[in-house]
Every structure is written in C-alpha cells, then in structure tokens.
C-alpha cells in the first residue's frame, strides 16, 4: 500500500485521529579488514605484529544473523515502507561478504520498500568536517547508492547527519546541495541551546532548521524506550556494554532515586512493554501528528531482537483499531503535508546530537549519565556537560584531525577524496594502493569517523586514528624529500591542537591503566590468579604513553622553530618525524592495553572495569575541554548564533523577536 495506511480492526469513523509514522534506521560498520591490511604492511615490526580487529559483520553472517534481510522482512510483513541511511563502508562489506543480501536490499529499494536517506559515506562526524568535506561525504554516498547499486533517486532527498548531530554551520551546505529535510533529535531547553517561536510543537510537527531545510522531529520515547525491555531481558549480554542491571543505575529514574530495575532474563513480554510506550505516544500526539522512530539498525548487536519487538509491538497497537496510522517515508510525509518549507516555523539550532540517551555511557574518561537523569551526586550532566559541549563525545577528535588537515593543507593536498565511490569499490578500499591525492585525504577522512571516538570506543577504534596519522606523516615526509622547496606555514596551527593532543593521550591511556590494574588486583584476590603477564603489558603501555608525550613535545619544539623560520626544510622533516613517532607510540600503547586483556580473564575484568568507570564522575573530558578553552581558546566548531542562555521553551521564547525570517545560520 502506497502510504502504508493501517486502520486496525474493521471500519474506522472519519472522526478517528490520523497520525503519520516513519520508521527510519541508520546502518554503519567500519571497514574491519582495512586496518588489518594497513597494520600488516607496516615497516615497524611492532606495528605489523599488533592485535588485529575482528570483523563483526563477518561474524554475524557466519552465525546466520542478518539484520539487513530482517529489516526488509519487517517492512514487508507489516506492509509498510521504511527509511534507511547506510554508509559506504557498510555497503562495501555487505557487497563483499553478503552479495545475496545486497541484491535483496537493492530489490527493496527498487520496490519502494526501503526509501534512501543520505548520510556521510565514512560515518564522519559533523564536528570534525568542513563544509566541503561534508559535501564530499554526501557525494560519495550518493554515488554508491545510485551509480554503483542503481538505487532510484529520491524525488525529495534528505540527510541523516552522523549520530543525528546537527551542526548549524553545515545547514547552508546541505541546502545548497538540494537536500530538503533532515532528522532532528529531541530539543529540550534543559540540555540544548536553540531558539524557537512561542508555542511551537517540537515533538510532533515539522519545522525549519535553516532557510529551506525541514526538520523532522525524532520522538524520543518511541525511538529509545525499545532499549528498556531489551536491556532487562538480556542482562548477561548488556553487562559487556556497561549496563549492570540491578546493580547500578541504568535508566534515568534510577538516577533520581527510584529502585534499581530487576533483570528479567528471557522475558517474553518485551513487545507488550514497548507497545505501552507506543500507545502513550499515539494518545498524546495531535491530529495529523508525526511519530518518527530513528534508531541504529545494528543497535549495538541487538538489531535482530529490536526489529522483532518493533514488529510485534506495532501489530498490537494496530489491532487496537483506535487511530488511523499512515506508515510513510519522509518523502511521502512531506507530500501529504503539502506545505512549502517557507511556511513552517523556523528553529535556530546551534549544535545538538542524540547522545547519550536512555542509558549511561561509561567511557574511558568516566561516567556520562543518560539524559533526563537530573542532578546526580551534585552534578547535572544535562546542564553542565551536554548543553555546553553538545558534541562532547567527539570533540577529542578535533585535536588529531585538525593537525592532519593542517599538514595536508601545507603540502597542497585537497581535502576532498579524489576518486568516485565506484573507483574505491573497484579497488576494494585497498587504501595503500591508491595514489597520494586519493590516499591521504581518505586516511584523513577515516580518522574523522564518529565511531573512532564515540559512545563506547574500545582500544581498537582509537588505534585507527593513530594508524591513519602515522601513515599520513610518513607519506608527507616522502613528499618533502621530493619538493624543491619546503611548504609555507600558512596561518599556523590553532594554539589548542598540540596541547589537546597531549591531554588526549592522557585520557585514552591513563584511565585504562587505572581500571585494568584495579580489575587485575581483584582477579588476583578473588580467583587466586596470576596477573603478572597482564600487569607487564600495562607497564609497556605506560612506557609507550610517556614516549608519545616526549615525541609530542619534540613536535612542538619543531613547530616553534618553523614559526621563526618557515623555510627551514630540516624543521619540517623533524615535525613530520615527531608527529609520526607520536602516533606510533600512541598506537603501540593502546595495543599493549589490548594485549593485557588477552592475558587475563576478560570476562572477570568487565564488571570491575565498569564499576571503576561508574565511580569516575563527573567525567574527565568536560573539565579538560574547559581548561583548553580557558587557556588556549578552544571552543565548539560553531559559534552560537544567539545570546547564550536563551533556550527553546515557549515561555523563554516570548521575549525574543520572531526568527522565522531571520538570517541563515
């Protein structure tokens, strides 16, 4: 059915409420085999012998799990369309390891079962991208979908910004590309700075986030509450992601003093529990309102289970027969809305993302409570972290990637990847085989992946950034030898880059040594185990981290010499060598931490690690960012386009002048 119209049992009176439902999914897996190839090709044997990543997509296929086929099956079983954004990295791997699955996806695109959404080809985070690079990422994604796979082009194209992260400076870029809409995470004045006209509905109605770009609001509960039954029914699996159900707060109300949730292993009522959430949203939505579900498709390896719950819960709601539900694609919704973008109210968004959400994030630098947790241990993360630093999880990536970009600029390399998506696929993403004008911008782009820094990054993802940096520095050192004259210094490095990289090495390595030592001592005491081999790896990690710091100090010295004499080729060579050695030392430090896990009982260490991180509150990163801001002028990438402290509630907005005809962000 064209609009996926469902009326439930029997006939429905004309007075029954009409609602629109969009089910939108984001799909990404980083190139799991590329680091294996780059690591094995390293000239330094310590790097070549490093721990290699496991391919999660290959593992799932071998286990007979296929969330991509399951998505098609869900849509066809309900007789509805769904929207999907999918990165080039994942499409390439499905093409390689699941060609039958790729054919099934292409059929679903052609049949209108799946509607394409555009996204960053390599999952790059907007905070780390220039406008030119964002446009390049979208170009590559469009080329893969339409030129390589033959997916029909949407009449009304839209974008899912990586991690649902909208950075105001990028809105004019996507408008210039002809994109008509984007998906917008929850806007709440407690954690987000934005400016809106009085009385605007930010939950069930579309609005503009630019001159023409329409924002479709993500319904927080509909999107996130699916996690609750999945978490409670599988406590043994979620503990590996930091959720110790029944032992520590997991959900927002537990942070506010409610009793800890009880695990419900293998509970068959997950769909019924989620259906209660859907019914509540249906009841609260106004006539003609939009219920937008946006979520990861793989859902941290719970994707298949989530699709099952989603299907069964919507079937229950449809069986009620109390509303007329139109399951539509974003394009169909905008057609049905039949309104010009200029007629919609405008909301000025500074920066906003969907992270974190209904559960906490326990990262290497500490404990980030879920949104709506309120004041916890005297500290309100919504107000004191997420509102000040909306992209706090990815800000750390700006330190190395700004350095890599600056170096490429100095040597005259374009930041755009000088190849089509088709060429990258034909060459099977063997980056080391590509010419420098393609290889170096692509390595710099891959260093900007959101998952390198994101919600729960492990050592292997952090290693990728430093592997990319090491290869960039080595290649530019060769370029320097081939040049007749050294490059110019240009505008110089932002003053916060090298200090930020120094603090990053501290945040990525030191806490890991601390919590692993804590866990290993517990292992010795409780299991009478011998942690000596693992503790030795921690000492190696500490030594390599010290070396990384020393190399960075030497790089800073070389840079200062260049400031005095930019034409000194020897100083350029020293800078590139020191940057490369810093990246190598950080790579090896993280590698030793991975080896420590392999020389102990990893299953035992999980719980002590997360208990240690849970007690690391407030987290360390926000304080580091504030220190860099105070001392070195480090600030978010986008300047707030309105008075700080003004937020988006209707009450606070009444004192503001209308923004509907205001200037573009």
């Amino acid at each position: 059915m064209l609009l996926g119209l469902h009326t439930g049992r029997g006939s429905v009176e004309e007075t029954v409420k009409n609602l629109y439902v969009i089910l939108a999914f984001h799909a990404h897996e980083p190139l799991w085999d590329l680091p294996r190839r780059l690591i094995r090709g390293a000239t330094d044997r310590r790097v070549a012998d490093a721990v290699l990543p496991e391919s999660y997509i290959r593992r799932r296929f071998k286990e007979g799990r296929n969330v991509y086929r399951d998505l098609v099956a869900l849509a066809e079983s309900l007789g509805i369309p769904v929207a999907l954004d999918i990165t080039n990295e994942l499409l390439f791997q499905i093409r390689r390891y699941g060609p039958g699955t790729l054919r099934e996806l292409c059929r679903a695109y052609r049949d209108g079962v799946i509607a394409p959404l555009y996204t960053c080809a390599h999952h790059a985070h907007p905070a780390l991208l220039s406008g030119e690079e964002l446009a390049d990422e979208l170009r590559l994604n469009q080329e893969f979908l339409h030129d390589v796979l033959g997916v029909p082009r949407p009449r009304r194209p839209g974008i899912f910004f990586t991690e649902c992260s909208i950075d105001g400076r990028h809105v004019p870029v996507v408008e210039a590309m002809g994109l008509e809409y984007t998906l917008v995470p929850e806007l709440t004045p407690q954690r987000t700075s934005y400016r809106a006209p009085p009385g605007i509905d930010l939950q069930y109605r579309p609005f503009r986030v630019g001159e023409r770009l329409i924002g479709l609001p993500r319904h927080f509960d509909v999107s996130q509450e699916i996690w609750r039954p999945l978490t409670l029914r599988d406590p043994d699996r979620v503990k590996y992601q930091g959720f110790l159900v029944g032992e520590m707060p997991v959900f927002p109300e537990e942070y506010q003093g409610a009793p800890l949730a009880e695990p419900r292993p293998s509970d068959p009522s997950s769909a019924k529990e989620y259906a209660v959430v859907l019914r509540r949203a249906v009841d609260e939505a106004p006539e003609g309102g939009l219920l937008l579900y946006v979520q990861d498709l793989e859902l941290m390896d719970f994707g298949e289970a989530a699709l099952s719950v989603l299907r069964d819960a919507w079937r229950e709601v449809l069986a009620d027969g109390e509303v007329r539900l139109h399951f539509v694609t974003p394009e169909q919704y905008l057609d049905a809305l039949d309104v010009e973008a200029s007629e919609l109210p405008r909301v000025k968004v500074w920066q906003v993302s969907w992270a974190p959400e209904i559960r906490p994030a326990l990262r290497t630098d500490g404990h980030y409570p879920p949104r709506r947790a309120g004041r916890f241990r005297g500290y309100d993360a919504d107000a004191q972290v997420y509102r000040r630093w909306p992209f706090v999880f990815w800000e750390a990536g700006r330190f190395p990637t700004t350095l890599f970009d600056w170096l490429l600029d100095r040597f005259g390399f374009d930041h755009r990847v000088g190849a089509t998506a088709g060429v990258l696929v034909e060459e099977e993403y063997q980056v080391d085989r590509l010419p420098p004008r393609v290889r170096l911008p692509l390595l710099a782009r891959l260093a900007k992946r959101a998952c390198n820094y994101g919600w729960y990054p492990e050592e292997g993802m952090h290693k990728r950034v430093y592997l990319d940096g090491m290869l960039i520095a080595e290649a530019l050192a060769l370029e320097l030898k081939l040049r007749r004259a050294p490059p110019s210094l240009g505008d110089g490095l932002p003053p916060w880059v090298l200090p930020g990289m120094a603090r990053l090495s501290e945040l990525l390595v030191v806490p890991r040594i601390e919590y692993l030592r804590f866990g290993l001592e517990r292992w010795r005491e409780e299991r009478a185990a011998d942690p000596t081999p693992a503790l030795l790896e921690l000492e190696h990690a500490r030594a390599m981290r010290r070396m990384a710091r020393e190399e960075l100090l030497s790089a800073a010295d070389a840079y200062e010499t260049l400031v005095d004499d930019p034409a000194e080729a020897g100083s350029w060579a020293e800078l590139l060598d020191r940057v490369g050695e810093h990246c190598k030392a950080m790579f090896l430090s993280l590698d030793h931490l991975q080896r420590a896990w392999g020389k102990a009982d990893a299953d035992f260490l999980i719980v002590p690690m997360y208990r240690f991180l849970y007690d690391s509150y407030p987290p360390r990163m926000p304080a580091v960012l504030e220190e860099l801001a105070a001392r070195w002028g480090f600030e978010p990438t986008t300047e707030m386009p309105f008075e700080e402290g003004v937020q988006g509630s209707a009450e606070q907005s009444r004192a503001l002048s209308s923004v509907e005809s205001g200037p573009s962000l």
Side-chain angles (χ1 to χ4, degrees), residues 382-418:
D382 273 350
Q384 294 174 260
V385 177
Y386 309 131
R387 187 169 176 274
R388 168 71 170 106
W389 300 99
F391 298 154
V392 63
F393 290 178
W394 303 281
E395 291 287 354
R398 290 172 59 197
F399 308 134
T401 60
T402 300
L403 175 60
F404 303 159
D405 286 347
W406 181 78
L407 289 172
L408 291 182
D409 281 338
R410 295 306 90 224
F411 282 82
F413 283 91
D414 197 321
H415 286 204
R416 293 170 295 183
V417 176

Side-chain angles (χ1 to χ4, degrees), residues 212-231:
R212 299 180 303 280
L213 189 67
I214 297 173
L216 302 182
R218 181 191 192 223
H219 195 287
F220 181 82
D221 288 347
V222 167
S223 300
Q224 268 296 294
E225 283 291 336
I226 197 166
W227 264 124
R228 190 180 299 267
L230 295 175
T231 301

